């Protein structure tokens, strides 16, 4: 039987990075980085003892117990996921849409990757029935689906999957013999933490889930690349970690010593780090909520943002107004809104959505101000959306959407 090519299988192309924080580097993190700048030994592949122990403590405080020997670190999420995929083998399944940086890692390995629709209430986690149907179809065509990528707190949709949805998807995947990689980069950026229940797949299926996190999500500046992975405390988990370290070693993918020191400090979550993170999350939550209102007022659609520094808008209801401007797909929509708003607005095709769907990811960081001083003032303001430059940016966003009606 001829095998259907997986969606998106082809050349590796540039994809948009995760939304930038847009805020000044915290002074205590900068001091730790500077103090480590003259160290010469360097980190070993997978991270040194201090970094791995800090990651172990970070996950222990979130109910995921284990040993520092279950942890591996890399200079950013891309090499970490690449090494993990190379070590595991098999075809990869991921939700539609998904983070833009996932698919290129599978492509670089020549690994088939298949997208699975998500339920109506959230992104990041595949619909369990669609997952089972995709597994059945891929196997019938000679494929070997062995790995599922998901994200409970999701980029690009900014949603948080309900625990029952996560449980059903994980049970379906494990029942089909698949290992799960849970990207929890955005778990510490919940906009309403007291009203949002986030449950890690590793709590539900501890022996079948590897957790990864890009520390740029909530703890480090994106220019200081560091990511960590927590493998299951099983023989299979140890073998997967060992294979991942082999690939990281071959790539020379080692966390820089000063960045490792800053990462360990951030993962320890001292009071200053935790307080700064809470202020930043509260800021993004307020601005994202205001941006969401502006999008809905135009007649476009968007799920309420619950995590992260962005929201995912569907301009399908504004298709006629866009067509009048020569915009008929998400690639043209990306070009139009990037030019109109003066900031990158990646289209849904970057995240695996259909090209004909008029969807975009809107970052909130550009709304916080044009200078470091303005962004710092936004962080300190009790009502940041009332600052003149934030209000003006939100007004321009609303006008760009409203003029399409």
């Amino acid at each position: 039987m001829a095998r259907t090519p997986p969606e998106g299988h082809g050349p590796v192309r540039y994809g948009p990075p995760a939304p930038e924080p847009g805020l000044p580097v915290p002074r205590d993190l900068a001091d730790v980085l500077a103090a480590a700048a003259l160290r010469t030994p360097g980190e070993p592949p997978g991270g040194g003892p201090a970094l791995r122990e800090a990651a172990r403590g970070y996950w222990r405080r979130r109910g995921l117990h284990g040993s520092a020997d279950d942890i591996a670190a890399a200079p950013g999420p891309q090499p970490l996921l690449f090494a993990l995929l190379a070590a595991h083998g098999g075809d990869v399944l991921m939700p539609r849409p998904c983070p833009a940086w996932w698919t290129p890692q599978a492509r670089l390995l020549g690994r088939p990757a298949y997208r699975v629709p998500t339920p109506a209430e959230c992104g990041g986690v595949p619909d369990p029935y669609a997952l089972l149907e995709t597994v059945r179809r891929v196997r019938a065509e000679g494929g070997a689906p062995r790995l599922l990528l998901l994200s409970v707190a999701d980029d690009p949709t900014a949603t948080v999957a309900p625990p029952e949805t996560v449980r059903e998807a994980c049970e379906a995947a494990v029942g089909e013999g698949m290992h799960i990689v849970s990207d929890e980069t955005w778990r510490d950026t919940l906009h309403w933490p007291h009203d949002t229940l986030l449950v890690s797949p590793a709590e539900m299926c501890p022996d079948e889930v590897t957790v990864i996190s890009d520390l740029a999500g909530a703890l480090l500046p994106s220019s200081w690349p560091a990511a960590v992975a927590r493998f299951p405390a099983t023989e299979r988990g140890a073998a997967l970690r060992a294979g991942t370290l082999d690939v990281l070693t071959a790539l020379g993918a080692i966390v820089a010593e000063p960045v490792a020191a800053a990462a360990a400090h951030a993962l320890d979550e001292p009071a200053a780090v935790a307080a700064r993170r809470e202020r930043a999350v509260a800021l993004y939550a307020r601005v994202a909520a205001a941006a969401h209102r502006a999008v809905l007022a135009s007649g476009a659609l968007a799920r309420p943002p619950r995590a992260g520094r962005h929201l995912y808008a569907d301009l399908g209801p504004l298709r006629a107004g866009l067509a009048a401007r020569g915009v008929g797909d998400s690639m043209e929509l990306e070009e139009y809104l990037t030019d109109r708003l003066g900031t990158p607005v990646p289209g849904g095709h970057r995240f695996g959505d259909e090209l004909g769907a008029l969807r975009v990811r809107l970052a909130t960081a550009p709304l916080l101000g044009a200078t470091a001083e303005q962004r710092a003032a936004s962080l300190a303001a009790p009502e940041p959306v009332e600052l003149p430059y934030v209000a003006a940016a939100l007004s321009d966003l609303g006008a760009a959407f409203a003029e399409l009606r």
Side-chain angles (χ1 to χ4, degrees), residues 94-111:
M94 56 187 71
R96 178 199 296 275
C98 69
W101 60 273
W102 285 3
T103 305
Q105 314 313 313
R107 285 178 174 168
L108 284 168
L109 290 165
R111 190 72 53 78

Side-chain angles (χ1 to χ4, degrees), residues 334-380:
E334 173 182 294
E335 295 174 354
Y336 172 79
L337 285 179
T338 295
D339 181 66
R340 172 63 179 81
L341 295 173
T343 188
V345 183
H349 62 286
R350 303 276 193 175
F351 310 98
D353 247 334
E354 299 89 345
L355 184 62
L358 296 172
R359 300 186 184 118
V360 292
R361 186 185 69 190
L362 298 165
T364 53
L367 304 173
L368 305 181
T371 66
E373 292 74 19
Q374 287 182 339
R375 293 189 289 271
S378 296
L379 182 63

Side-chain angles (χ1 to χ4, degrees), residues 74-297:
Q78 294 88 347
L80 183 58
L81 181 59
F82 179 90
L84 200 161
L85 293 178
H88 192 276
D91 297 350
V92 182
L93 272 62
M94 56 187 71
R96 178 199 296 275
C98 69
W101 60 273
W102 285 3
T103 305
Q105 314 313 313
R107 285 178 174 168
L108 284 168
L109 290 165
R111 190 72 53 78
Y114 300 86
R115 304 190 189 279
V116 185
T118 56
E121 65 268 22
C122 67
V125 175
D127 177 89
Y129 297 103
L131 174 62
L132 291 173
E133 173 58 26
T134 302
V135 170
R136 183 204 62 78
R137 174 176 60 84
V138 172
R139 284 181 176 153
E141 296 177 347
R146 294 184 56 201
L147 203 62
L148 171 65
L149 307 185
L150 53 76
S151 54
V152 178
D154 184 46
D155 169 23
T157 65
T159 59
V160 178
E164 59 272 17
T165 301
V166 179
R167 177 182 57 79
E168 292 172 1
C170 289
E171 288 179 350
V174 172
E176 293 295 330
M178 302 182 70
H179 189 71
I180 298 167
V181 176
S182 177
D183 179 0
E184 300 184 10
T185 294
W186 303 100
R187 70 166 298 154
D188 293 329
T189 66
L190 301 185
H191 293 182
W192 320 112
H194 300 296
D195 301 324
T196 306
L197 179 59
L198 185 151
V199 179
S200 170
E203 298 178 63
M204 300 176 175
C205 307
D207 293 345
E208 300 297 340
V209 177
T210 295
V211 179
I212 63 174
S213 180
D214 178 4
L215 300 189
L219 293 173
L220 291 181
S222 57
S223 57
W224 302 358
V228 288
R230 176 191 178 275
F231 295 85
T234 64
E235 289 186 11
R236 289 176 59 190
L240 180 56
R241 178 181 181 271
T244 300
L245 291 182
D246 284 344
V247 178
L248 291 174
T249 301
L251 294 174
I254 298 171
V255 183
E257 179 74 15
V259 173
H265 179 76
L267 285 164
D268 283 336
E269 299 178 291
V273 168
R276 165 59 184 268
R277 181 179 62 207
E278 290 176 7
R279 290 199 307 273
V281 170
L283 169 62
Y284 293 123
R286 290 187 176 93
V287 175
H292 183 246
R293 290 192 294 269
V295 168
L296 295 186

